[in-house]
Amino acid sequence: MFVVATAGHVDHGKSTLVHRLTGMWPDRLAEEQRRGLTIDLGFAWTTLEGRDIAFVDVPGHERFVGNMLAGVGPVPATMFVVAATEGWMPQSEEHLAALEALGVRHTLVVISKADLADPARAIAQVRDRIPDARVVLGTDLGSVQAELVALVDRLPAPATDSDVRLWVDRSFTVRGAGTVVTGTLAAGTIRVGDQLERDGRLVTVRGLQSLGRDRDAVSAVARVAVNLRGVERESLRRGDAVRTPGAWLDTSEVDVVLRSAGKLHQKLTLHIGSASVPVHVRPLGDVGARLRLTRALPLRIGDIGLLRDPGAHRIVAGVEVLDVRPAPLRRRGDARARAAALATGRVTPPVCARAKDLRAMGFEVVGERIGDWVVSPEWWAERRRLALAAVEQWAAEHDIAAGMPFETLRQRVGLPAVELVPALLDGTGLQLRDGLVQRPGVALPPRVDKAVQTVREWLAAEPFRAPEAAELAELNLGPKELAAAVRAGRFVRVADGVVLGPDAFDRAAEVLVGLPQPFTVAEAKRALNTTRRVAVPLLEQLDARGVTTRADDGTRTVRVSRAGDTGQAD
């Protein structure tokens, strides 16, 4: 199917021409039929030489240019009507400006009412304003039909496998069916049973119609009516979009390059697809601008729209979206640098982003893949260098720390997600342990190492006589120093402020297995030659490790494996 929109000044015969071509009167509203004036969008279709052609008939009155833009926005071709009786008129000019701003380059001009006035003047005016357009007289319907066939044959092939984004131009309720939306499907394919997304919610395609017939699937380019389950008609309006789930990012701020720009004002209206959204405009250089939308839209790089001043009835500029996630302009020089980038007509993709987000933004997914992420190789290499430097600096400033906290490193090197940190450390020689990033074989500082060695000598003589708090304080072994020694494997922690040698649990089991079973805490204390301060938490640790089992009466039994060694139960 091919979709063609009409364009032209009010009362130049657009609807009449569509009716002659299709046998269908496009004006559907009672007021339109009463007044003989197109107010809203009309739709009709026909088949010419085997080609299905659908028409979106738009109003020509200056009061309804917003409606006209909603119909033309998603359409690739136009049939521009100029009456021989009046020639080129103000809305002819505004409609042409809109088409040029929207990048619609495939146009057939039909001179209507050629039986009522000499068409020569109108033809000359058209040649002056649209020099490359084909021009045909509306009185010769056969020539109009032939030129329409030639027009649609020149259109580029649509991308039928692309993500769906259907801009809604009508929504209504059908008794027994529910909510129906219509629009021009510019790309992709919709099938019955598909799930689409609307404003973060999933809706199901219950049924499809195109050109008045039920369909199982409809591919672009096409006029389509979609019966949706899971959404109320009142929640849908012209300018909304139903689209492939997860494939689009709603954005309320975009950077654009301006085409044929006139004088910019801070407050204009953005027309894109069938949407019409007030925006705040911040110029960036001569050809760029940042637009802040009053409501978020699902936009992508390369989308074409226009800015209009509705109060002055003036098309201000065509716009092409270059970035849908622009960085904030906070520092001095940011705006100037951004203007220079927009002037080139393209912006570079984020140095680090999820692949699905890059695709949703409209960037080509190119770079180094790190799981679900895509990174710039140069940026990634710089993150590695920064990570090494950050860990070295941390170690120098925290001599008893076992390593740099995982989250601190992530923030320091500027990674957007924690799952990227392990991949960043791979190949750097750094290791991740217990939420800390450290160099392998990190030794204790000399002052701590000397004190630890003193305690180790005490424990060699009396393995279960843990040093008292006063003894540790005299050696300057506080909680941080003890924790560092435990992480380094020099001690095991039995309880707060209670440390023993690294083999304490195994040695305790060897002693306890020689006791009559079961045994009491007091018996264990005597056998281990220690105090209750050590014995009680030590036995609790052995319970937790499965070395001993505690009975209800408080006695314990050493569990013995089949090999005769103490350890885990069979």
Side-chain angles (χ1 to χ4, degrees), residues 140-330:
D140 185 352
L141 193 61
S143 295
V144 175
Q145 293 171 329
E147 289 295 344
L148 278 170
V149 170
L151 173 70
V152 299
D153 282 351
R154 292 194 297 270
L155 296 178
T160 57
D161 57 348
S162 293
D163 297 321
V164 167
R165 179 183 55 183
L166 179 70
W167 292 104
V168 174
D169 53 38
R170 291 177 64 209
S171 65
F172 50 92
T173 300
V174 174
R175 185 183 300 275
T179 301
V180 176
V181 298
T182 68
T184 299
L185 182 63
T189 299
I190 302 177
R191 299 174 178 83
V192 173
D194 279 355
Q195 282 196 320
L196 299 175
E197 182 182 352
R198 156 63 174 84
D199 198 23
R201 294 178 51 192
L202 293 179
V203 295
T204 302
V205 178
R206 184 178 181 181
L208 288 170
Q209 274 198 356
S210 186
L211 305 188
R213 297 192 295 271
D214 290 338
R215 313 275 183 165
D216 293 326
V218 176
S219 295
V221 172
R223 286 294 304 173
V224 61
V226 187
N227 182 197
L228 296 173
R229 181 189 297 117
V231 62
E232 297 297 324
R233 185 197 70 80
E234 291 76 14
S235 68
L236 285 164
R237 58 182 173 176
R238 176 172 292 173
D240 287 341
V242 291
R243 69 263 197 181
T244 302
W248 299 86
L249 296 177
D250 285 325
T251 181
S252 57
E253 193 168 60
V254 295
D255 281 354
V256 300
V257 63
L258 306 170
R259 311 294 188 194
S260 303
K263 184 178 180 181
L264 292 177
H265 299 288
Q266 284 191 338
K267 295 182 179 181
L268 296 171
T269 297
L270 172 67
H271 294 268
I272 195 162
S274 64
S276 172
V277 180
V279 296
H280 178 275
V281 181
R282 177 180 179 178
L284 294 171
D286 295 332
V287 297
R290 176 159 296 183
L291 309 182
R292 186 173 299 117
L293 286 62
T294 54
R295 68 181 176 96
L297 295 176
L299 302 180
R300 275 189 181 172
I301 293 167
D303 281 344
I304 302 296
L306 63 82
L307 293 173
R308 182 172 181 263
D309 184 343
H313 300 289
R314 182 173 63 90
I315 305 300
V316 176
V319 299
E320 178 182 351
V321 176
L322 293 189
D323 198 348
V324 297
R325 284 290 187 271
L329 304 175
R330 296 195 181 106

Side-chain angles (χ1 to χ4, degrees), residues 387-410 412 421 425 429-445 480-481 483-488:
L388 286 166
V391 172
E392 288 295 326
Q393 181 180 358
W394 183 271
E397 296 173 352
H398 305 78
D399 64 347
I400 61 170
M404 187 176 187
F406 184 87
E407 177 62 15
T408 302
L409 178 66
R410 183 193 73 79
R412 189 76 59 86
V421 177
L425 300 180
L430 300 175
Q431 61 187 22
L432 181 61
R433 180 180 176 185
D434 298 328
L436 298 170
V437 181
Q438 57 188 200
R439 296 166 297 172
V442 175
L444 296 172
K480 291 183 179 180
E481 287 79 8
V486 170
R487 287 191 294 262

Side-chain angles (χ1 to χ4, degrees), residues 376-396:
S376 159
E378 296 78 14
W379 179 86
W380 190 245
E382 178 64 10
R383 297 314 102 185
R384 287 182 185 271
R385 188 193 67 76
L386 291 175
L388 286 166
V391 172
E392 288 295 326
Q393 181 180 358
W394 183 271

Side-chain angles (χ1 to χ4, degrees), residues 455 459 462-473 477-483 485-487 490-502 504-505 528 530-541 545:
V455 175
L459 293 172
E462 296 180 282
F464 305 106
R465 294 296 295 267
E468 298 290 337
E471 295 173 311
L472 293 171
L477 288 177
K480 291 183 179 180
E481 287 79 8
L482 289 179
V486 170
R487 287 191 294 262
R490 305 289 292 278
F491 291 142
V492 293
R493 179 184 177 277
V494 178
D496 286 343
V498 179
V499 293
L500 296 173
F505 297 126
L528 296 171
T530 189
T531 63
R532 187 175 182 84
R533 179 178 76 96
V534 176
V536 171
L538 178 59
L539 289 171
E540 291 175 349
Q541 291 266 14
R545 292 165 178 263

Side-chain angles (χ1 to χ4, degrees), residues 83-88 118-126:
T85 52
E86 292 186 309
W88 197 260
D118 185 350
R121 181 173 66 96
I123 293 174
Q125 292 171 330
V126 168

